[in-house]
Amino acid sequence: MNARSVRRAGVLAAGLATSLVLAACGSGGSGDSADQPVVGLITKTDTNPFFVKMKEGAQQAADAEGMELQSFAGKKDGDNEAQVQAIENLISAGAVGFMITPSDSKAIVPSIEKARQAGLLVIALDTPTEPADAVDGTFATDNYQAGLLIGEWAKGKLGAAAATAKIAMLDLNADQVSVDVQRDQGFLEGFGIDVVDKTRIGDETDPRIVGHDVTDGAEEGGRTAMENLLQKDPGINLVYTINEPAAAGAYEALKAAGKEQDVTIVSVDGGCPGVAAVKAGQLGATSQQYPLKMAQEGVKAISAYAKDGTKPEATAGKTFTDTGVTLITDQPQPGVDSKDTTYGAENCWG
């Protein structure tokens, strides 16, 4: 057994002994993995379809590039401790680099710095770190643009009634991670609301905002948050949600209250269940993003770095590599670029 194999065996043994829920999975490819460069993927959870598709893309690219994929995930969105442990495991395994969707975009930075000092290339997927240059590159949706699109669409959909809208904001959690802030603030700007400080959630003074609540990006959280805000104002007629699982929960709460026909819900994701919800009229519109592409491109970048030290470059005019976003709706609004649910179903995930 070579030195790398010895280190890897030690890491796996340690992983079995720890109580952290780290979903560590070896490569599904063929060949002697001990002779393959190790690339890591660390996601927020291993249950959200977005991250499932991301792992699929990473595995496909790792197989194509002749790399061994080791993947990790925490118990829930916000589980920074699990991500810290995953980085330690990858450093010990002698990984060339890894991709990460930060659960806490600030708290994870010291661990990322440690990995980079050890020579690993680190790429953020979907959620930028704070500061953004804490990693070697970011492959992501333009989350502000994703929010902006659904905000512009909602403003067009409501028409004159937008001036007196009652809006529920269903965000991620209290940590105000970058992806949460960007989507929230993008939506509000698109709808025509002064966001005051683009880097903060909840400092707006516009009376149309009934309130903000958190969902953990999950259906149960979306249902509870929607119930809370309906108690505050039963007249809510527009709901923004951080993602489609939260939107599904919001819809169930509205349906239970007999209000599902009177409220427009918008979201971000573009997963197959979300696109189906748009087609069924449960969601008005969603901004579709492409997790498979994010992970594939991330693995390719790490492979290039392993071969010749090349580091990824950002999309021109941006601080990250933009993997694209498309507004999906069957109710197009003037001046807002969109595709219908047929296109959405052809490009969805989950």
Side-chain angles (χ1 to χ4, degrees):
M1 181 179 288
N2 61 30
R4 174 175 286 180
S5 297
V6 170
R7 290 197 303 270
R8 189 171 297 127
V11 170
L12 292 175
L16 291 172
T18 181
S19 61
L20 290 174
V21 179
L22 288 171
C25 306
S27 171
S30 59
D32 183 4
S33 62
D35 296 328
Q36 295 179 318
V38 173
V39 58
L41 173 67
I42 307 171
T43 55
K44 297 176 184 178
T45 72
D46 59 5
T47 54
N48 187 313
F50 184 84
F51 300 125
V52 173
K53 180 58 68 171
M54 191 174 277
K55 182 178 176 181
E56 180 184 324
Q59 189 66 68
Q60 289 175 359
D63 289 344
E65 296 290 331
M67 306 183 81
E68 177 193 347
L69 177 69
Q70 291 189 10
S71 58
F72 304 81
K75 292 181 180 179
K76 64 178 182 178
D77 202 319
D79 188 358
N80 182 68
E81 183 180 4
Q83 294 197 327
V84 169
Q85 183 61 50
I87 292 174
E88 292 291 341
N89 286 3
L90 287 166
I91 293 172
S92 297
V96 175
F98 62 87
M99 302 160 290
I100 183 169
T101 59
S103 281
D104 188 320
S105 49
K106 293 180 181 178
I108 198 64
V109 168
S111 294
I112 289 174
E113 289 178 346
K114 180 179 179 180
R116 293 178 74 189
Q117 289 171 2
L120 283 72
L121 187 81
V122 183
I123 293 175
L125 299 182
D126 179 54
T127 305
T129 53
E130 297 179 64
D133 62 2
V135 292
D136 295 291
T138 300
F139 291 74
T141 305
D142 186 331
N143 283 298
Y144 206 90
Q145 177 68 12
L148 192 75
L149 285 169
I150 54 175
E152 291 175 340
W153 180 88
K155 183 177 181 180
K157 175 70 167 57
L158 267 63
T164 55
K166 292 187 175 182
I167 308 169
M169 302 293 296
L170 273 57
D171 297 307
L172 182 60
N173 57 38
D175 296 332
Q176 301 221 10
V177 295
S178 53
V179 64
D180 195 14
V181 174
Q182 290 167 8
R183 292 181 187 179
D184 173 296
Q185 300 289 276
F187 165 79
L188 291 175
E189 182 179 308
F191 196 75
I193 289 175
D194 181 7
V195 298
V196 186
D197 181 353
K198 286 186 177 183
T199 67
R200 299 293 301 169
I201 288 174
D203 61 352
E204 309 85 20
T205 58
D206 196 301
R208 290 176 288 181
I209 301 175
V210 171
H212 294 257
D213 208 332
V214 297
T215 66
D216 286 327
E219 185 171 342
E220 181 179 353
R223 184 184 301 111
T224 300
M226 190 73 253
E227 290 170 348
N228 292 342
L229 291 173
L230 281 173
Q231 288 179 1
K232 188 174 182 180
D233 191 335
I236 288 168
N237 61 358
L238 177 60
V239 179
Y240 154 86
T241 63
I242 177 67
N243 64 7
E244 289 166 357
Y251 177 80
E252 289 304 318
L254 290 165
K255 186 177 180 180
K259 297 178 179 296
E260 76 275 17
Q261 299 298 322
D262 306 319
V263 182
T264 297
I265 305 175
V266 294
S267 195
V268 177
D269 259 347
C272 298
V275 172
V278 173
K279 187 175 181 65
Q282 297 172 0
L283 291 182
T286 189
S287 286
Q288 186 171 67
Q289 49 184 346
Y290 305 103
L292 188 84
K293 182 179 179 180
M294 288 180 202
Q296 288 175 332
E297 294 301 314
V299 170
K300 290 177 184 177
I302 293 172
S303 178
Y305 175 74
K307 292 172 183 175
D308 58 22
T310 301
K311 291 190 176 183
E313 294 184 2
T315 300
K318 299 187 177 183
T319 58
F320 61 96
T321 300
D322 188 350
T323 53
V325 62
T326 306
L327 182 70
I328 303 298
T329 183
D330 286 332
Q331 304 174 63
Q333 299 300 319
V336 186
D337 289 337
S338 66
K339 299 286 188 181
D340 63 16
T341 53
T342 299
Y343 177 93
E346 291 171 349
N347 293 276
C348 68
W349 41 268

